[in-house]
């Protein structure tokens, strides 16, 4: 990785410092500044990490200018077309696509870990019924460390493996239980005869009073949504999981931290915020008013589902999601869904507006996902939990990659201090 021949030279106060240039397999070179503070007594400054590589990773690669997303080198479009979520889970965790025997073993292990310890059901009953399901998920996933004591030791590869399997298997069950609890319906147990996505729909939408049959086309759309959300380089929630994991925190605590971070409307909460925005816009004729607000510097309003730190072209996931939206709405016979009409018109208007063109703001993964999920019958409060359960494999893959790095260190950023210099305490009568 290190290109020992190439260095960058920094000149500061008449002294020069050589910074090694590290070259990736694909993407921008990086300047290795690990020794800079020791050599030059200066920090670098990059609060939003816009120009900073916090780690090296072999899992996911994004080319923001091309609108390219690769999971272990495989383009997301090909995986969305030919693969399925659990196969993508195996790929992200292990680095290669599984053969038939490996896939059968992996799917069998996940399937047999989908139930939760029965006593964990009590955790849900401590929450108000109107709690946001993300609050419940953060609480219950964090509390898994109070139950599964045989998979907490991060230094034991087997325990790391068991924790990974448990979370990939159980997150859909937890998300479905959070949903059922919020609508006052009984929890529905997972079924081992259903595939991963069908099982999730079954646990969300079946009731004891009648038979529920999962529509295969909806299960396929759900599976595709999970695939599209599985991993995405060092986004805010993945970076949260890595930072939490760097202290040696147990895997359940790290994933709970990732769920908490994903909840923000600038990140995974954008799918809920986007649908709420489309609903607020209501009709096509009100779109210009919202475009004007998005452009107004004095208005904090942002067009939810648009823009991305990395993609300065179409988010490839949004393209796939848009196709799914058309398929699902056709299947459900909601062709003239007013929200979809507003979304499509908003997309066209925004893509031709000079503000969005100049700032390279394109629809992202969250722009169409909410429309599909709403058409499937999910309330907006369940959109981010579905993002969270889908991203769990990405968080865990990144966490495993970090933990198994022998050179790993606790993450401990420095700062540009702008506060008071040292001063003596002032007695209250002298203030
Ligand atoms: C996800 O990181 C990931 O990979 C995340 C994710 C993943 O899979 O993990 O892809 C998932 O989080 C997708 C993003 C979902 N969020 C939204 O849709 C919320 C709306 N988008 C914005 O909040 C924003 O675009 C961000 C947060 C996504 C990106 O913000 P950046 O990279 O910090 O960019 P910025 O805020 O500096 O914006 C650059 C300019 C600014 O204007 P100027 O200060 O240069 O004048 O573009 C403007 C912004 O005001 N801008 C927008 C806008 N997004 C950016 N203006 C209007 N509407 C928007 N949506």
């Amino acid at each position: 990785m290190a290109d020992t021949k190439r260095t960058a030279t920094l000149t500061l106060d008449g002294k020069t410092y050589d910074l090694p240039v590290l070259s990736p397999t694909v993407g921008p070179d990086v300047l290795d500044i690990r020794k800079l503070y020791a050599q030059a007594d200066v920090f670098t400054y990059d609060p939003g990490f816009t120009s900073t590589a916090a780690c090296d990773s072999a899992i996911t690669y994004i080319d923001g200018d091309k609108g390219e997303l690769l999971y272990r080198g495989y383009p997301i479009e090909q995986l969305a077309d030919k693969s399925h979520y659990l196969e993508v889970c195996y790929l992200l965790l292990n680095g290669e696509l599984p053969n038939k025997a490996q896939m059968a073993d992996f799917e069998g292990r996940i399937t047999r870990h989908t139930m939760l310890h029965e006593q964990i059901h009590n955790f849900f009953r401590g929450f108000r019924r109107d709690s946001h399901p993300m609050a419940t998920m953060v609480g219950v996933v964090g509390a898994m460390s109070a139950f599964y004591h045989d998979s907490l030791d991060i230094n034991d590869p087997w325990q790391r493996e068991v924790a990974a399997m448990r979370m990939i298997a159980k997150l859909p069950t937890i998300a479905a239980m959070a949903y059922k609890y919020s609508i006052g319906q009984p929890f529905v147990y997972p079924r081992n005869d259903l595939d991963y996505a069908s099982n999730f729909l079954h646990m969300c939408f079946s009731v004891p009073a009648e038979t529920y049959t999962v529509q295969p086309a909806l299960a396929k759309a759900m599976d595709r949504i999970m695939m599209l959300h599985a991993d995405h380089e060092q986004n805010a929630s993945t970076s949260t999981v890595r930072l939490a994991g760097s202290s040696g925190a147990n895997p359940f605590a790290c994933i709970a931290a990732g769920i908490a971070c994903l909840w923000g409307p600038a990140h995974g909460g954008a799918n809920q915020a986007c649908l709420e925005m489309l609903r607020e816009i209501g009709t096509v004729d009100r779109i210009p008013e919202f475009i004007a607000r998005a452009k107004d510097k004095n208005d904090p309003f942002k067009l939810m589902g648009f823009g991305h730190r990395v993609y300065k072209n179409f988010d490839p996931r949004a393209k796939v999601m848009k196709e799914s939206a058309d398929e699902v709405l056709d299947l459900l016979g909601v062709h003239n869904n007013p929200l979809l009409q507003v979304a499509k018109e908003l997309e066209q208007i925004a893509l031709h507006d000079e503000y969005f063109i100049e700032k390279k703001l394109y629809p992202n993964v969250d722009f169409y996902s909410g429309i599909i999920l709403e058409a499937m019958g999910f309330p907006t409060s369940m959109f981010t939990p579905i993002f969270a359960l889908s991203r769990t494999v990405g968080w865990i893959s990144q966490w495993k990659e970090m933990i198994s790095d022998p050179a790993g260190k606790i993450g401990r950023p420095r700062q540009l201090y702008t506060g008071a210099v040292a001063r003596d305490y002032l007695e209250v009568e002298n203030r």
Side-chain angles (χ1 to χ4, degrees):
M1 182 168 59
D3 179 344
T4 47
K5 292 186 293 301
R6 286 177 66 215
T7 59
T9 302
L10 171 71
T11 302
L12 183 64
D13 301 335
K15 290 184 182 172
T16 60
Y17 305 91
D18 286 341
L19 303 175
V21 176
L22 307 182
S23 296
T25 44
V26 62
D29 287 342
V30 301
L31 304 185
D32 184 348
I33 57 166
R34 284 175 287 184
K35 296 190 171 65
L36 180 63
Y37 176 52
Q39 290 170 350
D41 196 31
V42 291
F43 297 145
T44 57
Y45 183 65
D46 186 11
F49 303 113
T50 48
S51 305
T52 296
C55 64
D56 53 79
S57 178
I59 299 172
T60 297
Y61 174 72
I62 302 169
D63 183 320
D65 294 324
K66 290 185 193 164
E68 183 181 53
L69 169 58
L70 309 177
Y71 287 168
R72 298 287 190 178
Y74 294 99
I76 191 66
E77 297 86 349
Q78 292 184 30
L79 292 169
D81 184 33
K82 301 174 191 294
S83 186
H84 57 88
Y85 180 70
L86 279 188
E87 184 175 75
V88 164
C89 286
Y90 185 98
L91 172 66
L92 290 170
L93 285 164
N94 300 294
E96 297 297 336
L97 289 167
N99 60 34
K100 281 198 175 127
Q102 290 164 332
M103 189 66 242
D105 170 63
F106 183 75
E107 186 147 19
R109 291 167 66 199
I110 293 292
T111 300
R112 284 193 295 280
H113 278 78
T114 48
M115 284 179 71
L116 274 181
H117 188 295
E118 196 69 7
Q119 207 174 315
I120 291 183
H121 290 205
N122 300 331
F123 286 156
F124 288 85
R125 307 205 189 291
F127 291 92
R128 286 172 42 151
R129 291 279 182 178
D130 59 354
S131 305
H132 194 291
M134 284 296 278
T136 313
M137 285 180 75
V138 170
V140 173
V141 172
M144 288 172 81
S145 52
F147 264 85
Y148 299 109
H149 297 142
D150 60 346
S151 56
L152 297 180
D153 179 359
I154 61 158
N155 299 306
D156 177 346
W158 173 244
Q159 292 199 33
R160 293 204 297 264
E161 180 73 11
V162 170
M165 290 294 116
R166 275 183 169 141
M167 281 190 276
I168 293 167
K170 297 178 194 307
L171 258 289
T173 309
I174 292 169
M177 289 171 77
Y179 171 54
K180 284 301 202 187
Y181 185 72
S182 73
I183 57 175
Q185 288 187 2
F187 297 141
V188 175
Y189 287 94
R191 279 176 40 186
N192 289 356
D193 62 322
L194 296 177
D195 65 71
Y196 194 87
S198 300
N199 212 358
F200 177 63
L201 294 176
H202 157 70
M203 291 188 283
C204 287
F205 296 126
S206 70
V207 289
E210 60 187 32
T211 305
Y212 172 79
T213 306
V214 179
Q215 287 181 282
L218 293 188
K220 185 174 185 313
M222 188 77 249
D223 190 272
R224 181 178 285 182
I225 287 174
M226 293 172 171
M227 268 197 276
L228 295 173
H229 287 83
D231 194 45
H232 214 239
E233 282 193 7
Q234 306 310 318
N235 57 83
S237 53
T238 298
S239 301
T240 300
V241 171
R242 279 181 172 262
L243 200 52
S246 73
S247 76
N250 73 70
F252 304 107
C254 294
I255 300 307
I259 296 172
C261 176
L262 186 77
W263 196 358
H267 190 13
N271 51 20
Q272 173 174 343
C274 180
L275 202 92
E276 287 163 354
M277 175 192 73
L278 292 174
R279 198 169 280 126
E280 188 187 354
I281 293 174
T283 53
V284 168
D285 61 324
R286 290 196 64 205
I287 290 176
E289 171 196 334
F290 284 81
I291 295 267
R293 283 188 56 196
K295 292 154 70 170
D296 179 354
K297 273 276 169 244
N298 302 316
D299 189 330
F301 173 79
K302 286 197 179 347
L303 219 48
M304 303 315 282
F306 270 82
H308 199 276
R309 171 60 57 78
V310 176
Y311 289 123
K312 300 310 172 190
N313 196 326
F314 243 94
D315 181 335
R317 303 168 297 177
K319 285 184 181 174
V320 178
M321 203 73 82
K322 185 174 175 180
E323 289 161 20
S324 274
D326 287 329
E327 289 163 16
V328 168
L329 296 181
D330 279 349
L331 175 82
L332 296 173
V334 283
H335 312 276
N336 56 354
N337 177 309
L339 290 179
L340 184 62
Q341 304 317 321
V342 170
K344 287 188 170 181
E345 185 63 19
L346 175 60
E347 177 187 357
Q348 285 312 309
I349 293 174
L351 291 180
H352 292 89
D353 181 289
E354 76 286 345
Y355 173 90
F356 290 86
I357 293 169
E358 183 242 327
K359 294 189 185 299
K360 299 183 177 179
L361 302 175
Y362 290 85
N364 58 46
V365 67
D366 295 303
F367 188 66
Y368 282 103
S369 56
I371 292 165
I372 301 174
L373 294 173
E374 180 176 75
M376 287 175 150
F378 288 104
T380 49
S381 60
M382 276 302 290
F383 293 1
T384 310
I386 289 166
F387 192 154
L389 75 86
S390 307
R391 181 56 56 89
T392 294
V393 65
W395 290 328
I396 287 172
S397 301
Q398 301 270 351
W399 170 79
K400 281 180 68 178
E401 180 178 68
M402 178 196 70
I403 290 289
S404 48
D405 176 359
K409 300 163 73 76
I410 188 168
R412 206 290 187 202
R414 302 307 299 273
Q415 62 180 8
L416 170 66
Y417 178 64
T418 57
V421 294
R423 52 183 171 167
D424 294 328
Y425 182 79
L426 212 55
E427 301 304 334
V428 65
E429 50 274 5
N430 299 328
R431 291 173 202 162

